[in-house]
């Protein structure tokens, strides 16, 4: 498997600085949060999102160094992402993430909600201080999109009539919006043209969709060990993702099992077996590959550079998580 970190070589030093800054920024203001911050921004996270923002920044600032604003944008992106995960783990009642206990299980719900709120608030404050209204609009839309996606997912649990389009829309809100809008924002901070900024947005959108589809496949194919959290948790909680939606087209009995919310013994295992026996995982892989390919096409507008190449390789990395 291509490791994420080897792809980040053009921004390795930037990412080290980012990690140090994040712990400092969150930890120093509120002692109650310092333990959570240390834990959240310490080892464990792959830093994929800030890496993309920094690579976008470098790929659009070829003759000059990136600015403190580019760096701050990457930090804001990671803060928003981390805050949403802390809240998501409360919503999902998840005990483990990245192989370690989640914030609410390590501390309690009160600390987890406050830590998430503080991170969102702090991200908004730093965002406003970038003094770029368009960038503020892009990232505040993300803060609105995240709960929109989470709510859409929540209200369609166990609903076998949801379409692939609705699944992709929800995935955009939940996952791709952050990467799309922060990629575009990085370009705006580099003063790229309108047209280029749209390409950067679309790279992030398709990359994010591919990433989410792969994540949803791994929920079926990975083990608790490799995932760092229990496997098949999406299906169990009624979150119908690409593999299940494709499988529903071939396996009518799957609908019965899902509609009765796996109420009878062995229902969940049977549903997983039906999905494994269908074309669902294969078709989901093809869908992820399609979005990865579309992401690459949106980089054609950028001048060749080491950072642009790393962004291209990032799309292979997304797919390589499957193997
Ligand atoms: C992970 O999904 C969760 C997200 C990508 C976003 C969650 C967003 C919220 C909880 C809303 C944020 C709230 C505010 C106030 C902006 P997952 O559960 O499918 O993935 P996982 O397996 O990594 O948990
Ligand atoms: Mg979750």
């Amino acid at each position: 498997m291509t490791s994420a970190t080897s792809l980040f070589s053009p921004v390795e030093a930037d990412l080290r600085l980012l990690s140090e800054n994040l712990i400092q920024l969150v930890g120093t203001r509120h002692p109650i949060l310092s333990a959570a911050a240390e834990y959240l921004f310490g080892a464990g996270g792959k830093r994929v999102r800030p890496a993309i923002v920094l690579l976008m920044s470098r790929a659009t600032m070829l003759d000059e160094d990136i600015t403190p604003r580019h760096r701050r944008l990457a930090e804001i992106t990671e803060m928003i992402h981390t805050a949403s995960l802390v809240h998501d783990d409360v919503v999902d009642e998840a005990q483990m993430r990245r192989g370690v206990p989640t914030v609410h299980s390590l501390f309690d719900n009160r600390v987890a909600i406050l830590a998430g709120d503080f991170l969102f608030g702090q991200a908004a404050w730093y965002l406003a201080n970038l003094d770029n209204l368009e960038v503020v609009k892009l990232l505040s839309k993300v803060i609105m999109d995240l709960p929109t996606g989470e709510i859409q997912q929540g209200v369609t649990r166990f609903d076998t009539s949801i379409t692939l389009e609705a699944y992709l829309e929800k995935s955009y809100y939940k996952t791709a919006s952050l990467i799309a809008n922060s990629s575009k924002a990085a370009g705006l901070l580099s003063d790229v043209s309108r047209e280029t900024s749209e390409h950067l947005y679309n790279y992030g959108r398709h990359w994010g969709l591919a990433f989410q589809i792969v994540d949803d496949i791994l929920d079926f194919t990975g083990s608790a060990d490799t995932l760092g959290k229990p496997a098949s948790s999406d299906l169990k909680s009624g979150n119908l993702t690409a593999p299940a939606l494709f499988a529903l087209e071939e396996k009518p009995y799957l609908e019965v099992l899902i509609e009765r919310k796996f109420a009878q013994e062995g229902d969940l295992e049977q549903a997983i077996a039906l999905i494994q026996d269908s074309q669902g995982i294969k078709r989901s892989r093809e869908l992820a590959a399609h979005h990865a390919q579309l992401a690459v096409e949106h980089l054609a507008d950028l001048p060749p550079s080491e950072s642009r190449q790393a962004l291209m390789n990032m799309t292979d990395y997304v797919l390589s998580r499957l193997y």
Side-chain angles (χ1 to χ4, degrees):
M1 177 167 139
T2 321
S3 96
T5 38
S6 68
L7 296 170
F8 298 165
S9 52
V11 292
E12 224 171 77
D14 301 330
L15 284 170
R16 257 197 305 277
L17 198 63
L18 172 130
S19 299
E20 288 164 17
N21 267 348
L22 281 172
I23 298 183
Q24 248 238 325
L25 286 174
V26 179
T28 50
R29 295 281 300 274
H30 296 284
I32 185 184
L33 296 179
S34 55
E38 184 84 36
Y39 165 85
L40 283 170
F41 296 120
K46 295 188 294 296
R47 308 267 185 273
V48 176
R49 290 157 186 82
I52 291 182
V53 173
L54 290 162
L55 288 168
M56 280 293 178
S57 306
R58 293 213 169 270
T60 50
M61 292 284 284
L62 289 184
D63 301 326
E64 297 160 75
D65 197 3
I66 59 169
T67 67
R69 284 184 180 180
H70 288 103
R71 293 182 189 281
R72 188 45 60 88
L73 176 68
E75 290 162 5
I76 291 167
T77 303
E78 188 68 352
M79 276 183 207
I80 294 175
H81 171 61
T82 306
S84 75
L85 293 184
V86 175
H87 280 187
D88 176 70
D89 287 333
V90 174
V91 174
D92 289 352
E93 299 177 354
Q95 302 305 307
M96 300 286 281
R97 174 176 295 280
R98 302 167 183 158
V100 291
T102 50
V103 177
H104 71 93
S105 60
L106 200 63
F107 301 91
D108 56 30
N109 273 0
R110 199 178 51 105
V111 170
I113 297 300
L114 291 175
D117 283 348
F118 182 75
L119 282 173
F120 277 125
Q122 193 173 45
W125 167 249
Y126 286 125
L127 181 59
N129 278 281
L130 289 177
D131 274 325
N132 182 319
L133 187 57
E134 197 167 358
V135 170
V136 172
K137 286 183 182 177
L138 292 175
L139 273 290
S140 37
K141 180 69 172 37
V142 172
I143 299 181
M144 194 158 86
D145 286 347
L146 285 166
T148 301
E150 193 79 3
I151 291 166
Q152 281 187 358
Q153 180 172 304
V155 298
T156 53
R157 285 170 68 218
F158 298 103
D159 180 354
T160 54
S161 70
I162 69 155
T163 60
L164 191 70
E165 288 66 39
Y167 159 77
L168 288 172
E169 186 187 82
K170 175 210 75 182
S171 302
Y172 170 76
Y173 286 132
K174 240 183 69 174
T175 308
S177 169
L178 176 61
I179 305 152
N181 284 296
S182 54
S183 293
K184 179 173 174 178
L188 293 181
L189 293 177
S190 306
D191 275 330
V192 299
S193 70
R194 207 34 53 199
E195 195 186 335
T196 300
S197 77
E198 285 312 312
H199 283 302
L200 303 186
Y201 170 88
N202 280 305
Y203 169 88
R205 184 165 78 91
H206 290 294
W207 189 91
L209 289 175
F211 183 89
Q212 187 59 52
I213 298 163
V214 166
D215 220 54
D216 295 340
I217 297 171
L218 288 173
D219 196 62
F220 287 98
T221 59
S223 65
D225 232 22
T226 55
L227 297 177
K229 58 183 181 186
S232 304
S233 42
D234 287 335
L235 187 66
K236 191 175 172 189
S237 63
N239 174 17
L240 306 184
T241 58
L245 294 176
F246 285 128
L248 273 164
E249 293 176 15
E250 299 171 45
K251 308 277 184 189
Y253 192 59
L254 184 57
E255 188 174 329
V256 177
L257 297 170
I258 296 171
E259 292 286 339
R260 72 175 181 225
K261 302 187 178 166
F262 313 119
Q264 296 179 19
E265 205 177 318
D267 276 1
L268 179 64
E269 292 68 24
Q270 203 180 348
I272 294 169
L274 285 171
I275 294 168
Q276 306 278 18
D277 186 51
S278 75
Q279 296 296 304
I281 288 169
K282 180 170 170 278
R283 289 177 69 190
S284 303
R285 270 197 201 119
E286 288 163 3
L287 185 64
H290 169 69
H291 284 287
Q293 180 53 35
L294 290 175
V296 171
E297 288 169 17
H298 283 285
L299 294 173
D301 194 48
L302 293 177
S305 69
E306 212 192 337
S307 294
R308 184 183 81 154
Q309 188 56 47
L311 287 166
M312 287 181 170
N313 297 345
M314 286 292 290
T315 62
D316 293 332
Y317 155 72
V318 173
L319 301 175
S320 77
R321 291 168 73 220
L322 290 170
Y323 302 101

